[in-house]
Amino acid sequence: MSEPIANSSFNYRHYLGIVIQQHPSVQAALKQIESAQQEVQGAKWQFGPTPSIGSERSSRSVNGLSDSRSSFARMQQPLWTGGRLTAQLDRAQAQESIASLTMEEQRLTLGTRWLQLWADAQAAELKVQAYTESENQHRKYVLQVQNRAAVGLAPRSDIQLSLTRLAAMQAELEQAGTQKRMAISRLEQMLGGPLPSHALQWTAALQARPAQSTALQRAAHEWLSEAQDKHPSLKKASAVALVVKADIELAKSRASPELYVRGEVLHGDVTKTRRQFYVGVSSSFGAGLSTLSTIAAAQAKLDAQEHEAETRRREIAEQVLADVENLDSQTKRLHYLEQAYSSADEFLKASEVQFAFGRRSWQELMNTAREKAQTLIQLADAKSVQWLSQQRLLLLSMGIDAYLSNNANP
């Protein structure tokens, strides 16, 4: 990066990149990939010849004078296995794909969770700023009404009202601060260490930033198509189906004989050394009709997997469409809330002037200040939801790696 992290508006992506590399769930998934790769290598070795050596000794002698001892070395090469070796390799390769896609699932889940927590921290920070501004406003009012009461221009009840409103605002400020600390604590748990103090400075820069116009111009079906094409869960469902299909082929192969060639060297005390070559056929059908039952069970699993994949597809569609709707509605809501805030701010200033000239009561002034604060809180929530919806759509449609490297959408 050309600029220090402290001055970057992309801090959340910087730290997300660290999370998806170092998080224990990702490290565990990497080990599963290594294990699956070894399984693939083992399945490939099955196509080669199998060597074996041994030594035997009989308790009876052949001629009454010497013991019967023999040793052997064998090499057996399968020629045809009814598809068993190919099915084993296909299954191992599908398992390797599943392991890789499981890691991608973990990375995507971490990314979605990170964005949610960062949005929570953003909303809490904006609320802290709003409540802090309102607290300062109420402190000014408390001092003002106390001075007016001291000279007999305001009743004591106005002091009590102002103190009550100030206490209520301070309670809300404390709650917002707690929410922010909790969100940051969860972020640090994901990161595995403390976030620098400057990490959330980007929040202020995003306060007035609207959603990207390109994001708003895209239709729901465009978001949905890209998200479903790239989502690792759907790719994983296809890989699981390949495993089940390989299991079906393995079950079928048990009903077929296997053809092999074997060469061996035998050495004994009496028989000396012999070299022999065999072409053989072997078969293992299993108990009764168990092979047919195994095939039927695997086929049922394949059918179930297709239904599970469709279920996952619908869940993704539901999330994407909800984010598209939220992005559109919250953008419109922000437009109206910003107008409302501007009006509330102007109305509060006018109310202060009217109160000074006795044309507005103290309670009306306090109510106007509270309405302005509530509008600020609604703005914080709307901005947070809008930002989260947009970022989640970008993450799902681009994939985690492209999302982290994209600097066009902050």
Side-chain angles (χ1 to χ4, degrees):
M1 299 181 68
S2 59
E3 59 181 350
I5 292 299
N7 297 324
S8 173
S9 62
F10 300 96
N11 281 347
Y12 66 96
R13 291 189 188 177
H14 171 76
Y15 294 111
L16 175 56
I18 297 174
V19 168
I20 65 170
Q21 289 179 357
Q22 301 180 358
H23 197 273
S25 63
V26 175
Q27 294 299 314
L30 285 172
K31 294 301 180 181
Q32 291 295 331
I33 293 175
E34 293 179 12
S35 175
Q37 289 172 341
Q38 292 300 320
E39 293 289 341
V40 171
Q41 192 62 36
K44 291 179 178 179
W45 279 110
Q46 294 296 316
F47 285 88
T50 301
S52 61
I53 59 175
S55 179
E56 299 175 338
R57 175 178 179 179
S58 175
S59 61
R60 295 184 179 182
S61 63
V62 176
N63 54 16
L65 298 175
S66 61
D67 292 335
S68 176
R69 298 179 181 179
S70 64
S71 58
F72 63 86
R74 296 186 179 120
M75 185 76 73
Q76 182 166 312
Q77 171 66 53
L79 298 179
W80 186 76
T81 63
R84 176 177 61 83
L85 297 182
T86 301
Q88 286 177 345
L89 179 58
D90 290 344
R91 192 181 196 283
Q93 290 173 335
Q95 290 285 15
E96 182 183 7
S97 296
I98 290 174
S100 297
L101 291 167
T102 298
M103 185 185 72
E104 291 304 311
E105 275 187 323
Q106 292 290 345
R107 282 155 46 94
L108 184 60
T109 299
L110 289 171
T112 303
R113 177 61 175 162
W114 182 265
L115 292 177
Q116 177 66 65
L117 292 176
W118 203 278
D120 291 344
Q122 172 190 359
E125 171 63 19
L126 293 176
K127 289 178 182 179
V128 166
Q129 294 174 11
Y131 285 127
T132 300
E133 177 184 337
S134 185
E135 181 192 27
N136 294 333
Q137 189 82 37
H138 280 75
R139 286 185 182 277
K140 182 183 74 173
Y141 289 158
V142 168
L143 181 60
Q144 182 179 355
V145 74
Q146 286 176 338
N147 291 336
R148 290 174 64 88
V151 295
L153 296 178
R156 300 290 300 177
S157 60
D158 284 353
I159 297 178
Q160 188 62 40
L161 173 62
S162 62
L163 290 173
T164 300
R165 293 290 178 86
L166 174 62
M169 200 57 59
Q170 290 172 330
E172 296 294 340
L173 175 60
E174 179 60 30
Q175 182 179 5
T178 301
Q179 291 173 347
K180 178 183 175 182
R181 290 190 295 272
M182 290 176 62
I184 293 176
S185 176
R186 294 190 182 104
L187 287 169
E188 290 176 339
Q189 287 296 316
M190 289 187 66
L191 185 63
L195 278 169
S197 58
H198 57 67
L200 292 173
Q201 289 180 357
W202 64 277
T203 307
L206 288 183
Q207 286 188 29
R209 180 177 286 128
Q212 295 293 318
S213 59
T214 53
L216 294 174
Q217 291 170 358
R218 300 193 65 187
H221 68 86
E222 294 178 288
W223 288 115
L224 183 57
S225 177
E226 290 190 8
Q228 291 182 336
D229 285 344
K230 292 182 174 65
H231 205 287
S233 293
L234 297 180
K235 295 180 180 180
K236 183 179 176 180
S238 299
V240 172
L242 292 178
V243 170
V244 179
K245 290 178 181 178
D247 288 337
I248 293 174
E249 294 302 316
L250 280 172
K252 290 179 179 179
S253 70
R254 296 193 186 101
S256 302
E258 297 187 10
L259 179 65
Y260 63 89
V261 294
R262 186 177 78 240
E264 61 184 25
V265 178
L266 301 174
H267 178 76
D269 289 344
V270 177
T271 59
K272 302 304 180 182
T273 300
R274 292 181 298 158
R275 292 177 175 82
Q276 300 178 5
F277 181 79
Y278 301 90
V279 176
V281 176
S282 67
S283 181
S284 177
F285 294 101
L289 300 176
S290 62
T291 299
L292 297 178
S293 298
T294 302
I295 294 173
Q299 185 61 53
K301 288 181 181 179
L302 181 60
D303 295 339
Q305 181 58 36
E306 292 176 354
H307 291 299
E308 290 178 6
E310 179 59 25
T311 299
R312 186 65 181 124
R313 183 179 297 276
R314 294 184 184 185
E315 290 174 350
I316 295 170
E318 180 181 353
Q319 178 63 67
V320 170
L321 295 177
D323 282 333
V324 170
E325 181 61 32
N326 274 331
L327 178 60
D328 181 63
S329 64
Q330 294 302 321
T331 300
K332 294 176 181 177
R333 182 173 178 238
L334 272 173
H335 174 70
Y336 296 124
L337 284 173
E338 286 166 355
Q339 290 182 341
Y341 174 74
S342 178
S343 298
D345 186 52
E346 293 178 3
F347 185 63
L348 179 59
K349 292 177 181 178
S351 297
E352 290 177 345
V353 174
Q354 291 175 347
F355 173 76
F357 287 98
R359 291 198 292 262
R360 185 166 291 274
S361 69
W362 181 249
Q363 186 170 359
E364 289 175 327
L365 180 63
M366 298 294 289
N367 289 341
T368 303
R370 182 170 59 182
E371 289 173 2
K372 176 186 174 182
Q374 290 174 343
T375 304
L376 271 177
I377 300 308
Q378 290 176 324
L379 274 169
D381 287 329
K383 289 173 181 177
S384 174
V385 174
Q386 181 207 51
W387 181 85
L388 178 60
S389 298
Q390 179 180 351
Q391 297 304 313
R392 197 155 49 196
L393 284 171
L394 291 171
L395 177 63
L396 290 175
S397 63
M398 299 173 66
I400 186 71
D401 292 323
Y403 174 78
L404 289 176
S405 61
N406 178 38
N407 291 328
N409 292 282

